[in-house]
Amino acid sequence: MKSMKKIFATLLAAMMLMLSLTACGGGAKADMVNTYTCNAPYFISAIGWYTNNTYSLKLNADKSYQLEYRTDMFGAEDMESKGQRTIIFYGTYTAAAAADGEAAHQDVTLAPATRIYFEQHDKGWGRECPVVLGTACLDSANWTDYMTTIYDAENGTKGAKEFLADLAQEITVTVEDPTTDLEDTTLAYRIVNAPQINLGENK
């Protein structure tokens, strides 16, 4: 009986140690520092559709980033979804005082992505999409032969490496930090100007 109690006590102590390490961040992913967002809506008058581009930049403590670019299309009259696209870029970043001289601004330079996730669906992504036609899901970190047939339908030779080379780029994003002036209630965690996302025009 004493032996069983001793074993139980040892196991309990080991479990408590593991929980303690987890709570302190042992083996956990890097903590998020901040997330900045902005929207860029516009109207396609020729077909009567609205489009809204949403940008979300997540910066982590280990100097990694996640930039999400999402597009939503919907009809002006029927309000039905016409197309959705999500592109997520992963990589590392550096930050410096903003070139525009604003004290609350910071220029974040995103190194070319080391991973890109791309997904789109619905009829809005017909021939106006420079990257790929129609419904598609591409992920450079989990590439398959099927993705090659979608991305390079003509030759069937381009894989994850070429996909990254076509879309990855260095981007500088100017963000705003409200903690620099707590008395200015107009400041927010936002992207100052929508970044120019490479959609494969150089493919």
Side-chain angles (χ1 to χ4, degrees), residues 35-38 55-59 65-68 89 92-100 104-111 169-177 189-197:
T35 297
Y36 307 87
T37 60
C38 76
Y55 303 82
S56 179
L57 174 61
K58 173 185 173 183
L59 303 181
Y65 74 82
Q66 180 177 316
L67 174 63
E68 180 173 322
F89 302 85
T92 59
Y93 76 91
T94 57
D100 63 15
H105 292 176
Q106 191 174 46
D107 284 343
V108 180
T109 300
L110 310 180
Q169 61 178 330
E170 182 178 281
I171 306 173
T172 298
V173 182
T174 301
V175 299
E176 186 174 88
D177 184 352
Y189 289 103
R190 67 185 181 94
I191 297 173
V192 177
N193 296 305
Q196 295 297 310
I197 302 295

Side-chain angles (χ1 to χ4, degrees), residues 107-118:
D107 284 343
V108 180
T109 300
L110 310 180
T114 55
R115 177 189 178 187
I116 297 176
Y117 173 86
F118 177 105

Side-chain angles (χ1 to χ4, degrees), residues 74-176:
F74 55 94
E77 294 184 4
D78 59 20
M79 298 299 290
E80 291 183 356
S81 175
K82 306 299 183 183
Q84 293 182 334
R85 171 194 282 162
T86 301
I87 309 176
I88 308 175
F89 302 85
Y90 302 83
T92 59
Y93 76 91
T94 57
D100 63 15
E102 291 288 337
H105 292 176
Q106 191 174 46
D107 284 343
V108 180
T109 300
L110 310 180
T114 55
R115 177 189 178 187
I116 297 176
Y117 173 86
F118 177 105
E119 191 278 332
Q120 65 180 23
H121 57 271
D122 289 341
K123 64 181 180 181
W125 307 119
R127 296 194 173 276
E128 73 175 67
C129 174
V131 178
V132 64
L133 304 180
T135 298
C137 184
L138 308 172
D139 184 355
S140 65
N142 297 286
W143 199 266
T144 65
D145 291 341
Y146 178 65
M147 292 179 185
T148 294
T149 65
I150 295 173
Y151 188 62
D152 188 16
E154 185 176 346
N155 300 307
T157 59
K158 285 192 172 185
K161 182 179 178 181
E162 291 77 16
F163 174 63
L164 273 175
D166 288 341
L167 272 69
Q169 61 178 330
E170 182 178 281
I171 306 173
T172 298
V173 182
T174 301
V175 299
E176 186 174 88

Side-chain angles (χ1 to χ4, degrees), residues 18-99:
M18 288 176 64
L19 288 172
S20 175
L21 288 172
T22 302
C24 293
K29 292 183 179 179
D31 291 334
M32 182 183 72
V33 176
N34 279 318
T35 297
Y36 307 87
T37 60
C38 76
N39 291 301
Y42 62 94
F43 181 62
I44 310 173
S45 58
I47 54 178
W49 290 0
Y50 283 104
T51 296
N52 185 54
N53 293 320
T54 302
Y55 303 82
S56 179
L57 174 61
K58 173 185 173 183
L59 303 181
N60 301 315
D62 65 351
K63 296 299 180 181
S64 65
Y65 74 82
Q66 180 177 316
L67 174 63
E68 180 173 322
Y69 167 69
R70 180 182 172 92
T71 297
D72 292 282
M73 292 182 178
F74 55 94
E77 294 184 4
D78 59 20
M79 298 299 290
E80 291 183 356
S81 175
K82 306 299 183 183
Q84 293 182 334
R85 171 194 282 162
T86 301
I87 309 176
I88 308 175
F89 302 85
Y90 302 83
T92 59
Y93 76 91
T94 57

